[in-house]
Each structure stands twice: as structure tokens, then as C-alpha cells.
């Protein structure tokens, strides 16, 4: 009986992960209306980060640029997948759009909804991001409940990352990495 139940749960989780993988793989350029909504959601996420942690205002003001992912979802049961769309701001305006994709493996389970902001200290760090020479490795976290801001990484390759939990229940002690793609504003619409 236990074996049948375990197989059923494993099959259900595998189908969820498969569906999320298809969504992540479909990372095509969004229509202009969707991009406008994404920009509005990103500005709302910036306001939410600053409200939750007022000290972040200095990072938004002083960073050369930043990428905001207003809604990232991670689903995992041993294997995990996460994804989200974001906006890259430089000089106070939109410079492009980005897709976050993450694959992990390890002791992890649950669904986690979060926002993420990546601050770029200088033009070189932003250029690395734009060229796809940018990813994060390894993760160890626990998330439960509602909003909270946590610093995930210290400056590494001239970047600083903050995450704000939006909800869900998740435990994570996994290895994997976040990878990003970038589309210039002029070519993404």
C-alpha cells in the first residue's frame, strides 16, 4: 500500500515538474502588452522590496543597474525547477528583459513563490549578465509563510541578490544553479 501511495505521489510530482519544464522551455519573447504588464509588476516589486527593507533603497539608487523578477515559482521534490520573467533597469529606465531558469537536485520539497532582485555594481557586471556569462550555484534555504526579505548572496562578481518570499512552504538543501537570458528592449518586442 505504501509503495503504491509513494509511486502515486512521485508520478504527480513528476507531472508537475514536467509541466513546469515545458513552461520554462517555452521562453519566447512576450507580446508588447505582456511586457508592459511585466514592467508594471517589476516596479511594484521594487516598491515592495523597499517597503519590506528600507535599507534596500540605497542599492536601487546606487547600483549601475538591476534586474527585477517580480514572480518566480520553484517546484521541487528531490529534483526542482524554477522560472520567472524579469525586467532589467539601467539609468532609471528599462534596458531589457530577462528570463530566470533554475534546475536543482538534492533534499528539497515544496512550492516556493518569491521575488528576486539582482543589483549590478558596474557596467562590466551588467555586460556579463547580458552576454549570458552569469549564473549562481548552490543553495540552502527554508521558506515558509508570507513576505520577508533575505540576502541570498553577498557581492559575487560585482552583484548582490535579494529574495523576497511571497508564499508557499519549501525546504531546500540542493545543488543547482540559476541561469539567465537577456533580450534587449529594442529586440524583445
Amino acid at each position: 500500500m505504501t509503495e503504491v501511495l509513494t509511486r502515486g505521489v512521485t508520478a504527480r510530482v513528476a507531472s508537475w515538474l514536467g509541466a513546469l519544464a515545458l513552461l520554462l522551455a517555452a521562453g519566447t519573447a512576450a507580446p508588447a502588452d505582456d511586457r508592459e504588464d511585466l514592467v508594471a509588476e517589476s516596479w511594484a516589486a521594487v516598491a515592495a522590496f523597499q517597503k519590506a527593507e528600507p535599507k534596500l533603497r540605497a542599492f536601487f539608487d546606487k547600483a549601475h543597474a538591476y534586474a527585477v523578477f517580480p514572480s518566480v515559482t520553484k517546484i521541487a521534490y528531490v529534483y526542482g525547477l524554477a522560472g520567472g520573467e524579469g525586467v532589467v533597469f539601467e539609468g532609471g529606465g528599462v534596458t531589457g528583459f530577462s528570463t530566470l531558469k533554475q534546475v536543482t537536485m538534492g533534499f528539497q520539497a515544496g512550492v516556493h513563490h518569491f521575488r528576486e532582485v539582482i543589483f549590478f555594481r558596474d557596467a562590466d557586471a551588467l555586460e556579463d549578465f547580458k552576454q549570458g556569462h552569469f549564473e549562481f550555484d548552490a543553495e540552502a534555504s527554508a521558506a515558509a509563510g508570507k513576505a520577508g526579505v533575505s540576502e541570498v548572496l553577498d557581492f559575487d562578481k560585482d552583484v548582490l541578490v535579494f529574495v523576497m518570499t511571497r508564499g508557499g512552504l519549501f525546504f531546500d538543501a540542493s545543488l543547482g544553479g540559476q541561469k539567465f537570458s537577456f533580450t534587449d528592449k529594442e529586440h524583445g518586442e
Side-chain angles (χ1 to χ4, degrees):
M1 176 74 173
T2 306
E3 184 178 321
V4 171
L5 181 60
T6 303
R7 271 190 277 168
V9 169
T10 302
R12 195 168 315 138
V13 170
S15 66
W16 292 342
L17 292 174
L20 184 59
L22 288 173
L23 290 172
L24 292 174
T28 59
D33 288 346
D34 291 345
R35 293 283 169 104
E36 290 173 12
D37 291 344
L38 182 60
V39 170
E41 291 169 13
S42 295
W43 281 121
V46 167
F49 270 105
Q50 291 177 348
K51 182 178 180 184
E53 181 52 68
K55 293 178 185 177
L56 288 180
R57 187 174 312 275
F59 288 102
F60 284 105
D61 292 341
K62 293 180 182 177
H64 175 78
Y66 50 91
V68 179
F69 297 88
S71 181
V72 180
T73 299
K74 181 174 183 179
I75 300 173
Y77 182 74
V78 180
Y79 295 98
L81 294 171
E85 299 290 322
V87 178
V88 179
F89 296 92
E90 182 178 17
V94 175
T95 190
F97 300 92
S98 183
T99 301
L100 176 158
K101 296 180 182 180
Q102 181 179 31
V103 177
T104 55
M105 186 177 105
F107 185 64
Q108 56 187 332
V111 177
H112 185 200
H113 304 284
F114 59 96
R115 294 177 170 124
E116 182 168 316
V117 62
I118 305 169
F119 295 100
F120 302 99
R121 187 188 314 230
D122 55 33
D124 290 338
L126 177 61
E127 191 58 30
D128 282 347
F129 181 84
K130 288 179 176 182
Q131 297 301 316
H133 306 290
F134 187 85
E135 68 180 75
F136 294 121
D137 298 315
E139 193 169 321
S141 64
K146 294 193 177 181
V149 176
S150 63
E151 182 178 334
V152 174
L153 300 173
D154 200 355
F155 268 101
D156 177 30
K157 298 182 184 177
D158 294 321
V159 300
L160 184 63
V161 178
F162 288 87
V163 172
M164 175 186 285
T165 297
R166 297 185 73 180
L169 180 61
F170 199 86
F171 177 80
D172 188 2
S174 62
L175 294 176
Q178 287 186 345
K179 293 188 179 190
F180 303 88
S181 63
F182 175 82
T183 303
D184 188 90
K185 177 183 173 186
E186 302 304 319
H187 298 97
E189 299 180 344

